[in-house]
Amino acid sequence: MNSPSAGESGCDLMKRIAKELRASIKAAETNAAELARRIAELEAQPDPDEKQINALKQTLEALNKKIEEDRLSLSTLEDVISENC
């Protein structure tokens, strides 16, 4: 993912990494939305499986934490790009 291509400048590399990170964040947000939808479906059932719901909630929490960390990394990378490229 992050290995430089032949002839790729530092700025080009950082821009490519930022683009890949944006795509990764978008995919993770899609997955988080799907998890939230599935949790809501399970909770709406007349005898919901609490173990499964709790497991999905833990997964969603971890995914949301990763998304926030990735957004922070992207923001920092974008700052570096704007200051140096």
Side-chain angles (χ1 to χ4, degrees):
M1 175 176 146
N2 296 340
S3 52
S5 300
E8 186 175 44
S9 72
C11 286
D12 290 340
L13 174 62
M14 288 189 291
K15 289 175 184 176
R16 182 171 55 82
I17 291 170
K19 182 179 178 181
E20 291 170 358
L21 190 52
R22 279 190 291 276
S24 174
I25 291 168
K26 185 175 180 180
E29 289 171 338
T30 299
N31 290 340
E34 177 61 26
L35 277 172
R37 185 193 62 74
R38 183 67 181 131
I39 290 167
E41 280 180 1
L42 288 171
E43 289 176 334
Q45 291 179 355
D47 185 24
D49 181 348
E50 292 299 324
K51 278 184 156 180
Q52 186 177 15
I53 291 170
N54 288 333
L56 289 173
K57 284 182 176 179
Q58 286 179 342
T59 301
L60 180 58
E61 184 179 329
L63 185 55
N64 283 331
K65 183 177 178 183
K66 181 186 181 318
I67 290 168
E68 287 306 310
E69 290 170 355
D70 286 352
R71 284 182 181 149
L72 180 58
S73 295
L74 178 60
S75 177
T76 301
L77 181 57
E78 288 174 334
D79 289 345
V80 170
I81 291 169
S82 68
E83 291 171 9
N84 296 295
C85 296

